[in-house]
């Protein structure tokens, strides 16, 4: 294994998002700050307790998850797509790096960006006295697991996209709607029974639910089902990414 | 052992045959000119040697290392300066060199030393902290060469390295390339400026419509009062060309 090569690859990817920190870090933090302020304080103070917790405590894990997903996905999708678009992916293709090292380089940087953004959101919540932590290990597991899933998904989109518009399609039509409908802002019990069943088919519900449990000790779905979904998605997206990289699809002419 | 050994290499894009069963060898220390009109298959061949493109027919090896089976060793021996600026245009020059050195497995100490050496050799001291996009065309070409030389490869592949370069820099580049060739580097060189190929290279191959139509010592192309340009036009016309 080319360890120096891999380490350099990760460094370069991290440096890439630090170079545009306003866009990659400050922007999600400001957006989280506004969410916490508006939903937690302005609107939240007029909402009753949900399962015994305040509204801000209830929505914070979802807000954190939303930022984690967007950051991990944005990191790998935009990095790979832009490198293909500007052709400096060739700099990596001619180097003695294996497909595994390339994938690891992109994905680790995606997870790092997700965690850095997530940590920032958590610190904002600390300032607003809205941060809780019941199970640190589980919190890290969910944060890393979800960042991995969306880093792989970002790579798949970065490979597939042929235009900047295509790069945003998944985010606009799948990720954002499913996240918002995954119980970020509402309890599943606020919905009619049939809608609850539909919500339980949404994997994003389990991501938010698991993170919520790790932070405030409250969950509305099955943690086991959530863990299984997470493992399946990591393996499925990781396996597909590996396959496409190894065939050189849209990477090597 | 040859620096580059291409045997029955074919590259297809769907049903289109871009390179048609070519065989070619470049000996260690040669300054080898690889000529042909646009679309003849030069860049496709270079892409397959370096790993930018895949191929399934034929074999290519670099100093005995198969570019598919033993790609890590083969790629360590190659330095590529491509025709297009395939570089992160927002990255500063020093960082570009630093990262490329890392990709090739160079330690921090080695990289630091070599980065400074390349910056000095290519007279980039005043521009080392500038982003690539801020440089002039000539300086960009120097950076491309510095990047190709960063890991001290044995085979340097230069795909039109003097395109868009002014006369002074062209002469400087020629001097530098002659110097490193004399020091033992093997160079595969493509250019549309046939006079520079005639001036620099000691062996030449001409590719036309995916086939090698001539290969030999420079003397074979310039004998009997002829020059490379005349011979080149003659060969590509004979092969059905429109030039």
């Amino acid at each position: 294994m080319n360890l120096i090569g891999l380490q350099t690859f990760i460094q370069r990817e991290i440096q890439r998002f630090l170079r545009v920190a306003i866009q990659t870090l400050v922007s999600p933090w400001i957006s989280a700050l506004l969410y916490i302020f508006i939903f937690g304080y302005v609107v939240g103070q007029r909402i009753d307790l949900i399962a015994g917790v305040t509204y801000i405590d209830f929505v914070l894990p979802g807000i954190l998850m939303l930022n984690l997903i967007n950051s991990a996905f944005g990191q790998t999708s935009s990095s790979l797509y832009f490198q293909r678009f500007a052709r400096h992916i060739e700099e990596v293709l001619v180097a003695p790096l294996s497909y595994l090292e390339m994938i690891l380089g992109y994905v680790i940087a995606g997870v790092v960006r997700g965690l850095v953004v997530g940590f920032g959101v958590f610190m904002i919540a600390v300032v607003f006295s809205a941060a809780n932590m019941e199970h640190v290990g589980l919190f890290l597991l969910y944060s890393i697991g979800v960042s991995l899933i969306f880093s792989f998904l970002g790579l798949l989109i970065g490979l597939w996209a042929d235009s900047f518009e295509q790069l945003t399609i998944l985010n606009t039509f799948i990720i954002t709607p499913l996240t918002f409908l995954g119980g970020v802002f509402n309890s599943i019990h606020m919905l009619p029974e049939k809608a609850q069943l539909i919500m339980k088919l949404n994997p994003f519900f389990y991501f938010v639910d698991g993170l919520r449990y790790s932070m405030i000790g409250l969950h509305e779905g099955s943690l086991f089902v959530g863990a299984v979904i997470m493992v399946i998605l990591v393996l499925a997206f990781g396996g597909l990414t590996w396959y496409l990289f190894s065939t050189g699809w849209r990477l090597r002419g | 052992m040859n620096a580059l050994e291409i045997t029955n290499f074919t590259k297809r894009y769907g049903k289109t045959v871009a390179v048609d069963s070519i065989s070619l060898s470049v000996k260690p220390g040669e300054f080898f000119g690889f000529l042909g009109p646009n679309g003849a298959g030069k860049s496709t061949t270079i892409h397959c040697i370096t790993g930018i493109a895949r191929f399934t027919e034929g074999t290519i090896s670099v100093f005995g290392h198969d570019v598919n089976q033993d790609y890590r060793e083969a790629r360590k021996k190659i330095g590529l300066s491509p025709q297009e600026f395939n570089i992160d245009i927002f990255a500063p020059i020093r960082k570009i060199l630093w990262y490329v050195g890392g990709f090739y497995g160079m330690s921090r100490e080695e990289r630091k030393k070599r980065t400074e050496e390349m910056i000095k050799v290519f007279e980039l001291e005043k521009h080392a902290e500038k982003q690539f996009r801020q440089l002039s065309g000539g300086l960009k070409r120097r950076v491309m060469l510095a990047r190709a030389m960063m890991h001290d490869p044995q085979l340097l592949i230069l795909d039109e390295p003097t395109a868009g370069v002014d006369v002074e820099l062209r002469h400087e580049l020629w001097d530098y390339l002659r110097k490193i060739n004399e020091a033992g580097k093997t160079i595969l060189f493509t250019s549309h400026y046939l006079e520079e190929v005639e001036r620099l290279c000691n062996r030449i191959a001409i590719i036309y419509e995916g086939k090698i139509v001539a290969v030999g010592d420079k003397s074979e192309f310039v004998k009997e009062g002829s020059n490379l340009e005349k011979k080149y036009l003659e060969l590509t016309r004979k092969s059905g060309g429109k030039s």
Side-chain angles (χ1 to χ4, degrees), chain B residues 50-235:
Chain B
T50 53
I52 292 173
R54 287 170 301 149
F55 66 97
T56 50
E57 293 169 64
T59 58
I60 300 177
S61 61
V62 177
F63 288 98
H65 301 284
D66 186 282
V67 298
N68 285 332
Q69 306 299 322
D70 194 8
Y71 68 93
R72 283 197 205 264
E73 285 310 308
R75 287 183 202 164
K76 277 183 191 168
K77 304 221 176 293
I78 304 171
L80 171 69
S81 172
Q83 199 177 332
E84 311 275 343
F85 295 133
N86 62 353
I87 221 161
D88 180 357
I89 58 167
F90 298 106
I93 308 314
R94 187 172 266 116
K95 284 268 182 205
I96 290 172
L97 299 178
W98 174 261
Y99 288 138
V100 165
F103 293 160
Y104 284 85
M106 293 168 75
S107 68
R108 293 179 76 84
E109 294 71 34
E110 276 180 300
R111 255 188 285 173
K112 199 172 174 192
K113 198 175 156 210
R114 186 70 176 166
T115 300
E116 295 315 313
E117 203 180 313
M118 288 294 98
I119 285 172
K120 198 175 168 197
V121 166
F122 290 97
E123 295 173 21
L124 293 163
E125 292 96 332
K126 285 183 195 161
H127 312 283
E129 302 310 325
K130 286 184 189 165
Q131 292 180 356
F132 185 79
R133 68 191 175 103
Q134 295 171 313
L135 304 183
S136 66
L139 286 170
K140 283 177 178 167
R141 278 285 159 210
R142 288 191 208 184
V143 174
M144 298 295 280
L145 276 172
R147 185 182 65 166
M149 290 295 293
M150 181 64 195
H151 60 290
D152 198 17
Q154 292 178 39
L155 171 63
L156 194 56
I157 300 179
L158 308 172
D159 196 0
E160 297 187 35
T162 54
V165 164
D166 62 33
V167 181
E168 289 89 343
L169 180 60
R170 189 173 298 174
H171 279 265
E172 280 174 32
L173 287 177
W174 289 348
D175 290 342
Y176 176 72
L177 294 176
R178 268 198 211 102
K179 211 188 292 173
I180 60 168
N181 178 239
E182 281 162 15
K185 298 284 179 211
T186 309
I187 299 176
L188 181 75
F189 185 86
T190 85
S191 175
H192 286 299
Y193 305 117
L194 299 185
E195 74 282 2
E196 72 178 1
V197 176
E198 199 172 321
R199 199 185 279 237
L200 295 169
C201 300
N202 37 42
R203 272 209 330 135
I204 293 164
I206 297 175
I207 186 168
Y208 186 75
E209 291 187 340
K211 288 184 163 62
I212 300 285
V213 292
V215 58
D217 286 343
K218 182 171 67 184
S219 56
E220 293 171 38
F221 291 86
V222 295
K223 65 186 174 188
E224 292 156 11
S226 182
N227 62 24
L228 182 60
E229 190 165 327
K230 272 187 195 167
K231 191 75 183 168
Y232 173 85
L233 289 173
E234 197 184 301
L235 281 162

